[in-house]
C-alpha cells in the first residue's frame, strides 16, 4: 500500500510519529525509500531499516522530530558500514543522533534540549545524552 496520495503527498498517518512532526522533505524521503524497499525486500524490518538509513543520511533526530543535517552523510559507524556486515546489528546505531557531527554541534543540540551536565561531557557522552533526551521528548509528544 502506497504512503502517497494521488496528488503525490505523503499520508501522514502512515508514518512513524516522529516523522509526522517533521518537515515534509523528511517525510517524503522516508516514505519514498520505504515504498521502494518494500518492493525489493517485502514488507518488514529490512525495508524499514533501509528507509531509516536513508532518512538518517540527510536528517538527524532532534527531540521529538527530524531536522535536516548541515551536510549529508552517514550519521554513525553502522551507517558508514558496507558489505555483508552493514545490514547486521554488529555495530550499534546512534538512534538518529548524528554521531559524526562536530562536538560543538552536539553541544548546541544538547543546549537546545536542556541536557544537564553537557559542558563537561565528551563527544561520546553527548551522543548518549542526546539519544536519551530525544527518547524522552518523543515519549512526551506521544503522550499528548
Amino acid at each position: 500500500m502506497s504512503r502517497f496520495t494521488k496528488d503525490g503527498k505523503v499520508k501522514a498517518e502512515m508514518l512513524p510519529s516522529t516523522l509526522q512532526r517533521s518537515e515534509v522533505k523528511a517525510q517524503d524521503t522516508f516514505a519514498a525509500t520505504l515504498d521502494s524497499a518494500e518492493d525489493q525486500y517485502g514488507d518488514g524490518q529490512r525495508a524499514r531499516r533501509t528507509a531509516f538509513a536513508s532518512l538518517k543520511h540527510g536528517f538527524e533526530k532532534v527531540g521529538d522530530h527530524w531536522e535536516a543535517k548541515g551536510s549529508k552523510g552517514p550519521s554513525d559507524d553502522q551507517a558508514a558500514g558496507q558489505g555483508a556486515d552493514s545490514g547486521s546489528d554488529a555495530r550499534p546505531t546512534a538512534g538518529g543522533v548524528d554521531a559524526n557531527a562536530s562536538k560543538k554541534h552536539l553541544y548546541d543540540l544538547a543546549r537546545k534540549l536542556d541536557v544537564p551536565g553537557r559542558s563537561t561531557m565528551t563527544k561520546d557522552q553527548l551522543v548518549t545524552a542526546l539519544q536519551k533526551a530525544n527518547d524522552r521528548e518523543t515519549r512526551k509528544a506521544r503522550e499528548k
Side-chain angles (χ1 to χ4, degrees):
M1 174 186 336
S2 176
R3 280 155 193 76
F4 296 95
T5 61
K6 289 181 182 177
D7 61 357
K9 294 185 179 176
V10 175
K11 298 175 187 173
E13 69 276 1
M14 297 187 77
L15 294 172
S17 64
T18 56
L19 278 162
Q20 291 175 14
R21 293 183 290 276
S22 301
E23 63 183 81
V24 172
K25 177 69 173 147
Q27 294 175 357
D28 289 346
T29 298
F30 180 85
T33 305
L34 185 57
D35 276 351
S36 178
E38 284 178 343
D39 289 344
Q40 186 169 359
Y41 306 124
D43 186 22
Q45 186 179 25
R46 185 172 182 188
R48 290 185 67 77
R49 278 195 318 257
T50 301
F52 273 110
S54 175
L55 177 70
K56 289 191 274 184
H57 203 75
F59 297 86
E60 63 185 327
K61 192 165 180 220
V62 179
D64 66 344
H65 64 281
W66 294 84
E67 294 181 4
K69 295 193 315 188
S71 61
K72 293 185 177 187
S75 58
D76 52 39
D77 289 341
Q78 174 68 17
Q82 295 185 8
D85 199 32
S86 63
S88 72
D89 293 333
R91 294 177 303 267
T93 70
V97 175
D98 186 5
N100 290 331
S102 69
K103 183 176 178 183
K104 180 187 180 325
H105 175 75
L106 296 172
Y107 176 81
D108 290 343
L109 288 179
R111 185 178 337 126
K112 181 177 181 178
L113 296 172
D114 199 26
V115 173
R118 62 190 171 266
S119 62
T120 60
M121 291 182 181
T122 65
K123 185 174 177 180
D124 288 340
Q125 289 170 327
L126 283 168
V127 169
T128 300
L130 285 168
Q131 286 175 305
K132 290 178 182 178
N134 287 344
D135 291 345
R136 184 173 47 254
E137 292 298 315
T138 299
R139 270 192 307 277
K140 284 182 192 176
R142 287 179 180 158
E143 290 172 358
K144 290 181 182 179

